[in-house]
């Protein structure tokens, strides 16, 4: 891609995210969201493949609809209460419309249909941006208004997202679609706890960002786009495949890895709020996603692929030093013993 | 006055319906013109006449004219005009949706428009929207820069999407 265009898009992404997360006025928040949508369009379509163009169009249409709904909900609230403060969203129609708009923006069920297809149409690094950076402004808006939103609706969205994220991920062989469904199910966990303890939503989001970034960056280094490529990638980078396995198990939420921390704290908080059946349901539904994480982890470390390989290491290799991946891997597997420190920081 | 403003609103809906029923762009432009004229009229009824004037000039006089010129370069041999069954079908479908929305939204008993304007109770000498432009350039310069960057970004994104005659994003490989 043209370096100048790439620079403008990257700077606009950072600017749009900063504008939305630091705003107090709805119009400024909407402006940041629109700048983000515009800036990522060329990044999704940069390979000029018909699948990428289709992904770009789908992304643009859904995000614009959601932005328009956010604008309508803020205007309805301003018309009835006379102020544009984000934290003072009191009109019931506005709260409902905003919940639906943020659900479309994030890719929560039942508005999740665009997400796997958009991720599949973009490159791995653009998919990383779509899963982590583009989720930050909508989650911020949801956190700011979480006290006024309908708890039952949020709980329904959360359980449906965990269910569909786990269930539909089972039949996927393309790694980007697997990670899309993993993202949907993690978002379900985040939305579950937002009415009771928004700090846990922030914690889950930060840890999910670290773990997903690790997986995406590692997969981008070994250029693994489907399960069959994953099976034979151990010959190129055996150490990276081992760490990918650990990171995937961390995403699945297995102790003693980092991914256990948000799930543990969320279950504890739900039980404290007398929502034990919900805690049980959401934990059981995470077992579905555990299956495809295990399958992916198994494929990354298996040393006997279906096609025979006569040697362990390929002799023609281009291993580049990748410091961010290393740092993120360390964070995404070893942060659990620091839970007391992290809880105090929240 | 109320009836006139309601008439503007209904014509706005009809104009939007004309665009949404998917005719060929030459015929859809008529709907756009009607919708924007009625929208500007509604803005005048609210009291913000400067914004209405700016919208008229920029939207109708700038963007629509450029749109018509670009569309006239890409002609299709059998355009779907108003009498086409696909257009009529879409149109009837959207009329149904709007009817449902009006009935369920409870708008059938809300007929108090066109009586009070936005700055009807203030004590300023200048109109609200006009003095707002002055604020945009003085205290609100941050938002001005952000809005300006947003517009520039839209331009750069469109240029990046259509760059490369046949290897651009819009035409498939």
């Amino acid at each position: 891609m043209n370096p100048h265009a790439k620079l403008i898009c990257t700077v606009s992404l950072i600017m749009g995210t900063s504008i939305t997360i630091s705003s107090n006025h709805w119009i400024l928040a909407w402006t940041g969201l629109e700048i983000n949508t515009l800036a990522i369009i060329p990044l999704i379509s940069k390979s000029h493949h018909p699948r990428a163009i289709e992904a770009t169009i789908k992304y643009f249409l859904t995000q614009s609809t959601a932005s328009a709904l956010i604008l309508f909900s803020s205007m309805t609230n301003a018309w009835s209460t006379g102020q544009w403060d984000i934290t003072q969203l009191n009109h019931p129609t506005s709260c409902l419309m905003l919940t639906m708009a943020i659900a479309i923006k994030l890719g929560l069920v039942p508005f999740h249909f665009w997400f796997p297809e958009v991720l599949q149409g973009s490159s791995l690094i653009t998919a990383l941006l779509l899963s982590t950076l583009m989720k930050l402004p909508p989650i911020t808006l949801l956190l700011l208004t979480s006290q006024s939103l309908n708890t039952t609706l949020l709980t329904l969205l959360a359980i449906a997202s965990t269910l569909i994220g786990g269930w539909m991920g089972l039949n996927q062989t393309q790694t980007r679609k697997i990670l899309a469904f993993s993202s949907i199910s993690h978002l379900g966990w985040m939305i579950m706890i937002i009415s009771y303890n928004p700090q846990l939503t922030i914690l889950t989001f930060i840890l999910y960002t670290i773990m997903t970034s690790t997986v995406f960056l590692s997969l981008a280094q070994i250029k693994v786009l489907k399960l069959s490529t994953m099976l034979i990638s151990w010959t190129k980078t055996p150490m990276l495949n081992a760490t990918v396995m650990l990171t995937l198990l961390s995403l699945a939420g297995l102790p003693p890895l980092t991914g256990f921390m948000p799930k543990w704290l969320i279950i504890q908080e739900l039980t404290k709020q007398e929502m034990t059946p919900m805690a049980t349901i959401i934990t059981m539904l995470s077992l579905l996603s555990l299956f495809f994480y295990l399958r992916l982890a198994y494929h990354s470390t298996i040393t006997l692929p279906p096609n025979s390989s006569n040697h362990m290491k390929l002799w023609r290799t281009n291993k580049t030093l990748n410091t961010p991946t290393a740092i993120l891997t360390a964070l995404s597997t070893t942060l659990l013993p620091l839970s007391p420190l992290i809880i105090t920081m929240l | 006055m109320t009836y006139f403003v309601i008439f503007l609103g209904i014509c706005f809906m009809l104009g939007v319906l004309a665009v949404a029923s998917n005719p060929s762009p030459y015929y859809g432009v008529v709907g756009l013109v009607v919708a924007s004229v009625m929208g500007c009229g509604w803005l005048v009824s609210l009291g913000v006449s400067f914004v209405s004037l700016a919208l008229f000039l920029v939207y109708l006089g700038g963007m629509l004219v450029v749109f018509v010129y670009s569309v006239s370069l890409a002609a299709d041999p059998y355009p779907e005009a108003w009498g086409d069954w696909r257009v009529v079908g879409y149109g009837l479908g959207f009329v149904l949706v709007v009817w449902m929305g009006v009935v369920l939204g409870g708008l059938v008993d809300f007929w108090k428009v066109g009586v009070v304007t936005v700055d009807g109770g203030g004590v300023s000498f200048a109109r609200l929207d006009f003095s707002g432009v002055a604020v945009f350039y003085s205290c609100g310069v941050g938002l001005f820069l952000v809005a300006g960057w947003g517009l520039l970004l839209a331009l750069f994104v469109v240029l990046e999407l259509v760059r490369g005659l046949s290897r651009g994003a819009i035409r498939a490989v």
Side-chain angles (χ1 to χ4, degrees), chain A residues 294-339:
Chain A
L294 275 177
R295 180 166 57 196
L296 207 53
Y298 182 66
H299 280 14
S300 93
T301 48
I302 189 172
T303 52
L304 287 173
N307 49 324
S308 58
S309 53
N310 348 359
H311 49 271
M312 188 199 90
K313 293 265 304 275
L314 292 178
W315 64 276
R316 204 182 293 166
T317 175
N318 59 339
K319 279 191 273 205
T320 53
L321 176 65
N322 206 339
T323 319
T325 316
I327 298 176
L328 288 171
T329 311
L331 283 177
S332 65
T333 47
T334 54
L335 224 44
L336 189 64
L338 289 176
S339 315

Side-chain angles (χ1 to χ4, degrees), chain A residues 1-2 5 8 11-12 15 19 28 31 35 38-39 41-42 45 48-50 53 56 79, chain B residues 46 110 143 145-147 149-150 153-154 156-157 160-161 163 167-173:
Chain A
M1 195 173 158
N2 185 9
I8 291 181
V11 163
S12 301
M15 196 173 98
I19 289 174
L28 208 57
T31 311
I35 289 179
L38 277 176
I41 295 290
S45 68
H48 302 313
H49 190 272
I53 310 302
T56 316
W79 193 262
Chain B
L46 280 176
F110 177 69
L143 186 62
L145 289 173
V146 167
W149 179 255
L153 179 68
F156 290 142
V157 161
E160 175 62 30
L161 281 177
R163 186 166 57 93
R167 283 180 291 137
I170 302 301
R171 201 174 294 193
V173 292

Side-chain angles (χ1 to χ4, degrees), chain A residues 83-147:
Chain A
Q83 46 80 28
W84 293 83
D85 203 335
I86 296 183
T87 52
Q88 308 293 325
L89 196 78
N90 294 322
H91 194 70
T93 315
S94 298
C95 294
L96 182 64
M97 246 194 299
L98 183 78
T99 315
M100 291 298 123
I102 303 285
I104 299 176
K105 279 244 173 238
L106 289 175
L108 291 171
V109 172
F111 309 109
H112 67 284
F113 294 99
W114 60 274
F115 195 46
E117 290 152 27
V118 168
L119 277 202
Q120 183 64 21
S122 38
S123 67
L124 274 167
I125 301 300
T126 312
L128 164 67
L129 282 175
L130 280 167
S131 307
T132 53
L133 189 66
M134 307 299 281
K135 307 248 176 270
L136 183 60
I139 292 226
T140 313
L141 291 177
L142 205 61
L143 280 166
L144 287 169
T145 56
S146 60
Q147 297 311 309

Side-chain angles (χ1 to χ4, degrees), chain B residues 46-133:
Chain B
L46 280 176
V48 282
S49 49
F50 178 71
V51 168
S52 162
L53 196 66
L55 184 71
F56 229 110
L57 272 172
V58 172
Y59 193 79
L60 279 181
M63 297 198 316
L64 258 179
V65 165
V66 173
F67 172 74
V68 167
Y69 282 157
S70 352
V71 153
S72 65
L73 288 173
D76 31 326
Y78 300 104
E80 294 175 1
W82 297 118
D84 204 58
W85 283 117
R86 272 172 295 217
V87 175
V88 166
Y90 270 117
L92 284 178
F94 283 120
V95 162
L96 213 65
V97 167
V98 168
W99 199 357
M100 284 296 117
V102 164
V103 165
L104 291 175
L107 282 173
V108 285
D109 49 354
F110 177 69
W111 291 129
K112 292 194 289 289
V113 291
V115 180
V116 174
T117 57
V118 161
D119 50 0
V123 286
S124 86
F125 292 116
R127 300 302 293 279
L128 214 61
D129 53 347
F130 200 58
S131 50
V133 175

